[in-house]
Amino acid sequence: MSAHIEKLPTRISAHALGPIHPSLPAPMRLDLHLDGERIVSARIETGYLHKGLEKTLEGRNWFSAIVGADRLDSLGSSFSEMALCLAVEEICNIQVPRRAQAIRLILCELNRVSNHLSYLAKMSQCVGFETTMHYILRERESVLDLFELMTGSRFNLAFFRYGGVSADITEGFIERVFEVCRQIQIRIKEYHALMIDNEAFVSRLAWLGTVSVEDVYTYGMTGPNARASGVRMDVRKAFPYSGYELVEFNVPTGRGKRGSSGDSFDRLIVRLEELQESLQILVHVAERVPAGDFTCLKVGADFTAPLGEAFARVESARGYLGCHVISAGETSPVRIQWRTPSAHHIRALPSLLKGVTLQDVPVLLASLDLCVSEVDK
Amino acid sequence: MDLKSLVQKLNKDLNLSAQLKPFGRTKELMIEVDSAEYLRVSQWLRSEESARLDWVDNLSVAELKNALVFTVFLRSQALTHTLILKTETAFRGQDPVDMPSIGKIWPMALAHESEIATLFGVNFVGSNLEKARAPFPLRKDYSWEFGLE
């Protein structure tokens, strides 16, 4: 074999992913420039899921706004409903009964559990562990069944109302919550064995897509993505709402155990630990649901909020979700604006994708838990 | 430093007369400034050591009484206090308006400015965002028939 190997001519090639592509979480476009397999630069284009949500809500009455809020993120409808209701209740000076607050908290934590299970399933699928994905989705089904038992829907619950919730706890719901929490607690040990203790799985995630503390502040990243980088911020602790002030729980952060702090593995570990915390919160609150009313007023299509504005913050499964509501004292809002976590996380993508190989793109995208629906609104 | 002292220092340093007001019914406080002072006040708030307002919770725009009202929700991560900064600028019909960008002060604000630029027709001066092109859907006079001939 010749000692002199002729260097093959190469150049940067352009590769477009999307708007529809199996490796993308939702319709969006990724324009990549590749040097062989490695990404040199990336450009993101979103807007394919723009549904004019904020404009639509301005033309609807206050009651319909709750249904519209669901569509911000279909997998996290409890959080957007909670944010909207908190803001409107602030404007109207409505005191939500303790029982209703507990019901809301339970639904939000169940939604967090469902979201994090969906995240774990998605990560397993991206890495190629399809069997694990099916196991996790089996657990998620039992959470969705709980939503159906309580609200009648598995997604897009439309269950929150200004002043409370639309119905009281269904018979058998609390017992079923305990059962599902117990079941998932047992299964989490299985997930550890299948994923965390599995070198093949860990090697796909470790050192990939490291988000530094500087990146968190540059892009405004929040939630588990920020906590994985060591930035301990959680709206439930900083600005407690709906009974969270009465619950003790830990806020896990990433420690860089298998790679760097803030890499894809840390983002997965943080969500796994948060899942465990959510299960404990659920059991704690379900054991102590106060007696009382599930709502303090009946809201119909003629509901009017007085003149004023408010900004509500909630900790959704993806991060900090804010809702700014302005009322002019009429039957429809002047403005409902959402601050969504994914809109900030997606801006970090071009810098995170640099230097990553093409095969790792789906894993990195899945690790950020992006919801393009809430980016585009 | 408490917010009252902070605003007093702001007024003294920048020769303003901003007043702390409650934001809606919440315990949060806000200051309203002229759009000409918006950038200067933002720079001051970011650089002021005692305030440490290093986080933009939200940047929201609404069309109220023929003006675009900008509301910046600021927070100190370390000290957990919040301050809301409000300013407004007049506009006409579907003409774009110019506003200074606070993206160089708080880079996380660029996510909001990019959305506002497209939907409200605001050119954020000092940023790399594309110039706004009509029609601007979130303005109240936007008609679904725009552009259809």
Side-chain angles (χ1 to χ4, degrees), chain A residues 55 58 90-91 217-218 220-221 233 239 309 311 313 320 324 326 334-335 337 339 344 347 377, chain B residues 23 25-26 28 55 57-58 60-62 64 73 75 77 86 107-108 111-112 115 120 137 139-140:
Chain A
K55 184 76 177 179
E58 287 173 18
E90 190 69 60
I91 293 173
Y217 278 83
T218 302
M221 297 176 83
M233 68 166 109
F239 303 95
E309 63 178 322
F311 180 64
R313 303 167 171 88
Y320 178 133
H324 183 202
I326 303 177
V334 169
R335 179 87 168 104
Q337 180 260 344
R339 186 265 183 221
H344 292 261
R347 293 186 72 85
K377 294 186 253 179
Chain B
F23 177 75
R25 287 179 195 276
T26 65
E28 290 186 77
W55 192 269
D57 267 349
N58 191 24
S60 140
V61 172
L64 298 170
F73 297 82
R75 178 154 57 105
Q77 280 288 73
K86 254 200 188 182
M108 62 185 78
H112 300 283
E115 193 180 271
F120 276 98
R139 292 206 190 169
K140 297 291 181 193

Side-chain angles (χ1 to χ4, degrees), chain A residues 116 119-120 123 188 191-192 195-197 201-202 205 224 227-228 252-258 263-276 367:
Chain A
H116 285 348
Y119 174 90
L120 293 174
M123 289 300 289
I188 285 178
Y191 306 153
H192 263 272
M195 296 194 289
I196 312 305
D197 298 336
F201 185 88
V202 173
L205 269 62
R227 292 193 278 275
T253 54
R255 295 176 290 276
K257 256 169 102 170
R258 299 304 300 273
D263 63 5
S264 297
F265 184 73
D266 264 3
R267 289 194 281 276
L268 185 130
I269 280 287
V270 161
R271 283 175 171 87
L272 201 51
E273 289 174 3
E274 271 185 23
L275 184 56
Q276 288 177 301
S367 76

Side-chain angles (χ1 to χ4, degrees), chain A residues 47 54 71 84 100-101 109 141-142 154 269 283 322 327 329 359:
Chain A
E54 291 179 357
R71 270 70 184 173
L84 176 64
Q101 286 187 19
E109 288 304 312
E141 280 300 305
S142 46
R154 285 153 57 88
I269 280 287
V283 168
S327 168
Q359 61 174 347

Side-chain angles (χ1 to χ4, degrees), chain A residues 4-5 232:
Chain A
H4 171 72
I5 298 166
R232 187 187 298 272

